[in-house]
Amino acid sequence: MCGIVGAIAQRDIVPIIVEGLRRLEYRGYDSAGAAVLHDGRLERVRRVGRVAEMAAGAAAQGLAGPLGIGHTRWATHGGVTEYNAHPHISREEIAVVHNGIIENHEEQRNRLTALGYVFESQTDTEVIAHLVHHFYSQSGDLLEATRKAVAELRGAYAIGVVALASPDLVCCARMGCPLLIGRGEGENFFASDVSALLSETRRVIYLDEGDVAAVTRDGVHIVDRDGQPVEREERLSAVSADAIELGPYDHYMQKEIHEQPRATADTLEGVIDAGIDPALFGAGAGAVFEQVDSVLILASGTSYYAGLVGRQWLETLARIPCNVELGHEYRYRDSIANPRQLVVTISQSGETLDTMEALKRAKSLGHQHTLSICNVQESALPRASKLVFYTRAGAEIGVASTKAFTTQLCALYILALTLAKQRGHLDSAAEQSHIEALRQLPGSVQHALNLEPQIKVWADQFADKDHALFLGRGLHYPIALEGALKLKEISYIHAEAYPAGELKHGPLALVDEKMPVVVIAPNDSLLEKVKSNMQEVRARGGQLYVFADLDSHFGEAEAVHVIRTPRHAGLLSPVIHAIPVQLLAYHAALRKGTDVDKPRNLAKSVTVE
């Protein structure tokens, strides 16, 4: 969940590192640091706080040089202190930055202490610096020393390494965490994410699991975990620098909420243009879908909530059994494998460690039918899956996912329709009806965005609250979960979500006039049941904030506040109702003055367990 960047050039690379870290700050912002080689010296600056603090320190120190590495941290091992900030240095000769978790760091720390190394931090990363130094002192070969060092590690890592005595190269390596190399003219780079390098290059090489690379000004030499030279394909990134700029918006979350009409339209383009076809999920998808008899969805966080909606679509439309599990729970329980099951992993980044490890677990149990739904091309999950559907949300920088969530829902709806057609549950008339509904979806999303002025008024009433309750039923219970998550993520208001029918089984004890109760109440078959649950809240003095449809047929009353979304969108209603709960969280956070894009204790890309 940290971000790393490195560069080697014939110019000062500190501005490149600072800009790269600024673009990676969504991955962690507890502290930041950089180390450069210059005139025979290894110089370092570290600061607690944001990248801007480190940049100011670098400027004050006069940090400059043609070769260096940088890091922005999300703390795991050790508190948020300058001593624990990266880069870590071994004996003033080796500097290392690291993203990931080293599981055997205590064992390695004891070993290295016995060899005479002194530890200055509480981090797992410092063992990497000392291990590299240990092997480098024997061979003088930084690439080989890095390869031998990472061979001693258990866990996940992406690292960058520089050595005082090797001023003509930087080394990097990855296992379980993303890392790519950027190619330039007489200069080269590496980073956790292509966004860090877009101001310099769009030519990228994605490293495979276990790869170790030596990066010089003129080229890149890559070896696999066994030390054998390998070639990795150079690609031209489709991400543009403009896509990750704020433009006229105040926050990335605001920008990304308002990009959802375009994001959903782009994601749905293939099915609207060509119809429902297994080829949307990759070559050979039709043959795979013919063999499957059930679906298992593995995901975490917001993606898990998308999976909960997807389960109901799959069972309703395709009449296929579906289960949804949290990746970090699935990988450790004694599950029963079904070789005919389609295993679907969902991840915005494609590098969520919990989900990646769950996929590995499923494959180890004999699951071969695998599909990844992901927003980032060439990321780990799609490469580890037989089939893939790329959502086309575009770069998402805000920690609280918005457009990635709604495009995941679009992808799952397309999957449900595809399996329904393949299994004989979707005739041509129904297919055209669903495609027409999908064609209208981006416009309905825009209509939901137009509710923002009304939602801002509600947000003013939430800002001084400490707790909130979200209720939904059926397809909309996961949207209640997502609304509660968004509110707690960025406004720090404690929020819980329940199926509305669960009120009487415990949560009703929490309800009083101080706790706002948000209800997702579209005009579906469960509306009357939801209305009964709302009466339970009113009878206890609760304040109801209801997101209804234009045709829900109930109005405002004392302690009942209603905002009406566009006409009921049928099975696609969860996509529409996701918009107002996002806006409510965003404006409540603005009202409270929290950091909307970078909420405390969280980071965007979760590459630790």
Side-chain angles (χ1 to χ4, degrees):
M1 293 170 70
C2 306
I4 65 175
V5 62
I8 180 169
Q10 293 179 333
R11 54 180 169 140
D12 178 20
I13 52 80
V14 171
I16 299 171
I17 288 177
V18 169
E19 175 62 16
L21 293 181
R22 185 183 70 81
R23 294 180 183 273
L24 291 177
E25 197 169 26
Y26 68 93
R27 302 177 69 95
Y29 34 87
D30 291 333
S31 60
V36 300
L37 294 184
H38 183 57
D39 290 340
R41 301 189 307 275
L42 178 58
E43 299 179 350
R44 172 178 64 175
V45 61
R46 300 182 291 178
R47 291 292 187 274
V48 170
R50 301 297 173 82
V51 171
E53 300 290 330
M54 185 276 290
Q61 189 173 311
L63 192 72
L67 177 159
I69 51 179
H71 185 272
T72 181
R73 181 177 186 237
W74 186 82
T76 54
H77 294 74
V80 181
T81 67
E82 189 168 310
Y83 284 108
N84 289 328
H86 300 214
H88 290 285
I89 291 180
S90 179
R91 296 185 177 177
E92 303 303 321
E93 295 176 352
I94 299 288
V96 168
V97 291
H98 166 228
N99 174 26
I101 291 286
I102 304 305
E103 295 175 356
N104 62 334
H105 70 99
E106 290 185 359
E107 170 190 327
Q108 294 294 339
R109 180 181 285 255
N110 293 336
R111 170 192 174 191
L112 290 160
T113 299
L115 291 172
Y117 288 94
V118 176
F119 284 80
E120 298 179 348
S121 76
Q122 301 165 302
T123 69
D124 55 339
T125 301
E126 196 174 356
V127 303
I128 306 175
H130 294 321
L131 272 174
V132 173
H133 183 277
H134 171 66
F135 289 112
Y136 186 65
S137 64
Q138 298 172 2
S139 67
D141 183 332
L142 187 59
L143 177 65
E144 182 64 7
T146 302
R147 189 188 72 81
K148 286 184 175 180
V150 297
E152 302 283 334
L153 305 176
R154 292 198 312 270
Y157 58 79
I159 65 170
V161 185
V162 296
L164 182 61
S166 296
D168 297 320
L169 81 158
V170 293
C171 286
C172 55
R174 73 162 293 241
M175 177 68 73
C177 294
L179 196 68
L180 58 90
I181 293 169
R183 299 299 311 274
E185 297 297 330
E187 57 188 20
N188 288 299
F189 320 90
F190 64 84
S192 302
D193 188 310
V194 69
S195 63
L197 304 180
L198 287 176
S199 61
E200 306 301 327
T201 185
R202 290 175 56 203
R203 296 165 53 202
V204 297
I205 298 170
Y206 293 93
L207 296 182
D208 279 4
E209 292 280 88
D211 282 355
V212 184
V215 182
T216 66
R217 293 179 183 86
D218 299 320
V220 178
H221 177 61
I222 304 172
V223 298
D224 63 18
R225 69 187 71 192
D226 298 319
Q228 299 301 309
V230 291
E231 295 290 331
R232 304 299 183 207
E233 181 182 0
E234 181 179 310
R235 303 171 184 269
L236 189 65
S237 173
V239 180
S240 69
D242 290 343
I244 57 176
E245 295 297 337
L246 267 175
Y249 297 98
D250 295 325
H251 304 92
Y252 281 107
M253 186 178 180
Q254 180 190 30
K255 173 177 183 280
E256 289 152 12
I257 288 173
H258 283 271
E259 286 176 339
Q260 287 177 107
R262 170 51 55 193
T264 54
D266 288 347
T267 300
L268 296 169
E269 182 178 29
V271 70
I272 290 173
D273 289 347
I276 297 167
D277 189 330
L280 292 165
F281 297 88
V288 171
F289 292 164
E290 286 285 353
Q291 299 175 54
V292 301
D293 64 3
S294 59
V295 178
L296 170 64
I297 296 175
L298 301 172
S300 300
T302 286
S303 298
Y304 173 72
Y305 299 153
L308 292 178
V309 178
R311 174 175 63 188
Q312 299 197 47
W313 284 335
L314 285 160
E315 295 192 346
T316 297
L317 293 169
R319 312 305 300 167
I320 189 169
C322 178
N323 193 23
V324 187
E325 297 208 37
L326 291 161
H328 46 79
E329 295 299 311
Y330 171 82
R331 65 180 291 203
Y332 291 117
R333 75 176 186 83
D334 191 11
S335 56
I336 299 173
N338 173 10
R340 296 192 62 191
Q341 196 166 49
L342 177 66
V343 178
V344 180
T345 52
I346 310 174
S347 169
Q348 185 278 138
S349 66
E351 62 188 53
T352 307
L353 185 64
D354 293 331
T355 309
M356 188 70 204
E357 291 300 318
L359 176 60
K360 290 180 183 178
R361 167 71 171 162
K363 292 167 75 172
S364 74
L365 294 174
H367 290 283
Q368 297 301 315
H369 305 315
T370 56
L371 164 66
S372 170
I373 294 174
C374 182
N375 191 45
V376 179
Q377 295 197 18
E378 294 302 318
S379 52
L381 273 168
R383 284 187 289 160
S385 303
K386 180 175 291 186
L387 305 175
V388 62
F389 185 99
Y390 286 113
T391 59
R392 296 171 61 189
E396 189 178 71
I397 305 300
V399 166
S401 180
T402 52
K403 62 179 180 174
F405 175 67
T406 48
T407 54
Q408 287 170 354
L409 291 177
C410 292
L412 286 163
Y413 197 80
I414 294 170
L415 176 62
L417 292 176
T418 304
L419 289 174
K421 184 176 181 180
Q422 188 125 2
R423 293 166 62 85
H425 299 300
L426 192 71
D427 60 27
S428 59
E431 178 179 353
Q432 290 307 310
S433 177
H434 283 292
I435 290 174
E436 181 57 31
L438 290 172
R439 183 178 286 111
Q440 295 179 13
L441 184 63
S444 297
V445 170
Q446 182 59 59
H447 289 159
L449 287 169
N450 295 342
L451 301 171
E452 190 167 13
Q454 299 173 59
I455 295 170
K456 288 172 68 174
V457 174
W458 280 12
D460 288 342
Q461 299 171 45
F462 275 68
D464 63 348
K465 300 296 190 295
D466 296 319
H467 309 279
L469 194 62
F470 284 70
L471 303 176
R473 294 195 77 153
L475 277 170
H476 298 89
Y477 167 51
I479 304 306
L481 287 166
E482 176 66 6
L485 176 63
K486 287 290 164 286
L487 190 67
K488 73 183 80 172
E489 273 185 304
I490 62 171
S491 75
Y492 316 147
I493 296 170
H494 169 243
E496 296 187 53
Y498 285 92
E502 278 293 292
L503 266 180
K504 57 188 175 293
H505 295 293
L508 200 57
L510 298 172
V511 172
D512 61 19
E513 69 280 359
K514 297 179 181 178
M515 176 180 278
V517 180
V518 180
V519 186
I520 314 299
N523 187 24
D524 60 15
S525 61
L526 291 171
L527 178 59
E528 293 306 316
K529 300 294 185 184
V530 173
K531 287 182 178 180
S532 296
N533 301 138
M534 290 166 53
Q535 292 301 322
E536 297 169 7
V537 173
R538 290 188 69 186
R540 275 76 180 178
Q543 292 283 324
L544 287 159
Y545 295 82
V546 185
F547 289 115
D549 293 328
L550 285 176
D551 48 2
S552 288
H553 306 300
F554 64 87
E556 293 203 11
E558 184 179 353
V560 181
H561 315 277
V562 181
I563 291 178
R564 301 183 185 280
T565 63
R567 63 176 180 79
H568 183 47
L571 288 174
L572 287 168
S573 179
V575 182
I576 308 303
H577 280 272
I579 308 304
V581 297
Q582 294 171 358
L583 289 168
L584 179 62
Y586 173 73
H587 286 289
L590 287 187
R591 183 72 169 75
K592 288 178 69 70
T594 61
D595 191 329
V596 173
D597 287 334
K598 301 180 180 69
R600 68 188 182 201
N601 303 333
L602 301 177
K604 181 68 172 173
S605 182
V606 186
T607 56
V608 298
E609 184 174 7

